[in-house]
Amino acid sequence: LLVASLAVHAVEGNAMIYSAAINAAGKGQRWDYALELLDSAREVAVLLDVITYNCAINACRRGLQWASSLHLFREMGLAGLEADAMTYQAAIRTCGAGRQWRWAALLQEEAVSKGLAVAPPGLRGKAWSLHPTVAHGAGERFASDAGQAATGSAEAPGGA
């Protein structure tokens, strides 16, 4: 409604307005509408930023849409945007909520390798490090694996 009223009043939407609307949709458990808003922003050539993607990834987390989250994560990188700690944390939590521990571990390792402080998804310390699907060196495979999962060309590690 907020974004639709922009056109009626000839107000130009920007990344901040779309981010707020995407965030509100996510908080309202409307991850699907949040992604529609993201598409709408692209259609009207809004220059999307990291915050906008973070809001969309968080909306996916609330809707337990881990594959959509990984797709957005990958898309963000292809758009030349650098994921920050909040981006990684949202994607890790989304994968954890979807019980996609391998993806969560890959994201965790990549974030740590970039010097970003992120927490494991819903597991604490030792339990996380002992989880059977957490593999040493997993971060090196993340970019390739995430690309395949986001495009649907491969099954996610640990099964989908």
Side-chain angles (χ1 to χ4, degrees):
L1 186 60
L2 168 67
V3 177
S5 69
L6 295 177
V8 172
H9 298 291
V11 175
E12 185 176 322
N14 61 30
M16 185 169 43
I17 290 170
Y18 276 94
S19 295
I22 289 167
N23 189 45
K27 285 184 177 182
Q29 303 299 314
R30 290 293 315 273
W31 65 270
D32 53 338
Y33 184 60
L35 296 183
E36 286 178 29
L37 288 168
L38 190 65
D39 287 340
S40 174
R42 287 188 203 102
E43 288 173 13
V44 295
V46 169
L47 186 60
L48 301 175
D49 59 18
V50 173
I51 294 169
T52 309
Y53 276 96
N54 287 352
C55 290
I57 291 169
N58 267 311
C60 290
R61 176 182 56 82
R62 290 183 182 103
L64 302 176
Q65 300 298 312
W66 66 269
S68 294
S69 175
L70 289 177
H71 174 78
L72 290 171
F73 190 93
R74 182 171 183 263
E75 180 182 298
M76 188 177 148
L78 293 173
L81 297 172
E82 184 77 25
D84 62 12
M86 291 180 72
T87 312
Y88 278 98
Q89 193 66 64
I92 289 166
R93 289 180 67 197
T94 303
C95 290
R99 302 188 60 76
Q100 300 299 315
W101 305 119
R102 181 75 177 261
W103 286 117
L106 292 169
L107 286 161
Q108 171 86 16
E109 188 170 321
E110 183 174 287
V112 169
S113 76
K114 292 182 175 190
L116 300 173
V118 292
L123 294 174
R124 303 211 192 281
K126 199 172 208 179
W128 172 251
S129 65
L130 295 176
H131 197 278
T133 59
V134 177
H136 178 70
E140 298 167 7
R141 297 182 305 275
F142 173 70
S144 170
D145 291 348
Q148 290 173 348
T151 61
S153 62
E155 189 174 306

